[in-house]
Amino acid sequence: MATIHKNLSDYDKQTIPNAKDFRFGIVVSEWNPTITENLFQGAFDTLKEHGAINDNIVRWNVPGSFELVYGCKRMTTCYDMLDAIIAIGVVIQGETKHFDFVCEGVTQGIKDLNIQGDIPVLFCVLTDDNLQQSIDRSGGKHGNKGTEAAIAAIKMAQLRKESKF
Ligand code: DLZ
């Protein structure tokens, strides 16, 4: 998963489906807010760039990354017409084991939502050693993981549409 020499936001725009008919949810963690806002903006701008309209993008905030799972779960219940949901958070290594527990909880939780539910939930959670790594991946020298998640969300929305019979 080395991204040290890779800009995460490099992709071929021609290969991305048009998102004008899709509806997206974005759940944003308020922990490390300057980073999560940049991730949100990267995701929002990318969805718009590929045709999504403002009224078809709903945003909710949750206190921390651990709460992303519940936020996404509730969003799938309240807005069952959504085509994909993006979970945005940043977990930065501290001095205790909290980092490991939050990372484990949110990763497994979002995985479970994808197994149990019908709406794809995209994992846009940075799990970094320090603040600089998060800055580099939220609009810095390694691109914006929010952009990457938005592209994945459009692709998953299209896959979901095409796989319905
Ligand atoms: C408590 C905590 C800590 C120490 N670090 C982070 C972090 O780096 N990123 C993050 O999104 N949230 C953190 N939290 C908060 C937890 O995600 C959660 O909100 C609380 O444990 C309450 O459930």
Side-chain angles (χ1 to χ4, degrees):
M1 293 276 281
T3 56
I4 193 160
H5 300 303
K6 181 171 161 59
N7 184 324
L8 295 171
S9 305
D10 286 341
Y11 65 97
D12 180 0
K13 290 192 169 69
Q14 307 306 319
T15 64
I16 310 305
N18 191 292
K20 74 175 168 41
D21 294 326
F22 292 138
R23 297 184 175 92
F24 298 96
I26 306 180
V27 183
V28 184
S29 161
E30 292 172 337
W31 199 279
N32 300 308
T34 54
I35 305 292
T36 56
E37 285 307 318
N38 285 345
L39 294 172
F40 168 78
Q41 208 56 54
F44 185 82
D45 291 347
T46 304
L47 294 177
K48 294 283 304 290
E49 192 182 342
H50 289 278
I53 59 174
N54 277 358
D55 286 351
N56 286 345
I57 304 173
V58 55
R59 171 185 172 155
W60 285 1
N61 279 12
V62 292
S65 291
F66 195 78
E67 285 74 41
L68 285 170
V69 179
Y70 183 79
C72 292
K73 186 183 80 162
R74 285 299 295 166
M75 196 178 256
T76 61
T77 309
C78 297
Y79 294 94
D80 63 351
M81 80 294 280
L82 291 174
D83 296 289
I85 297 173
I86 301 171
I88 291 179
V90 176
V91 195
I92 299 176
Q93 182 89 58
E95 292 173 1
T96 70
K97 286 193 166 184
H98 218 95
F99 174 88
D100 302 293
F101 294 130
V102 174
C103 290
E104 174 80 8
V106 66
T107 307
Q108 295 303 325
I110 289 177
K111 180 262 292 172
D112 289 345
L113 293 179
N114 280 287
I115 292 172
Q116 292 158 9
D118 180 49
I119 302 173
V121 182
L122 286 299
F123 184 77
C124 183
V125 181
L126 299 181
T127 56
D128 291 326
D129 292 336
N130 53 59
L131 182 61
Q132 188 59 51
Q133 287 184 345
S134 301
I135 292 169
D136 292 344
R137 288 161 178 77
S138 57
K141 67 181 179 186
H142 294 311
N144 191 322
K145 180 91 176 166
T147 297
E148 188 193 6
I151 294 300
I154 295 169
K155 288 180 174 177
M156 291 306 289
Q158 181 72 16
L159 181 143
R160 180 169 176 265
K161 180 178 156 190
E162 288 174 357
S163 60
K164 276 191 174 163
F165 57 92

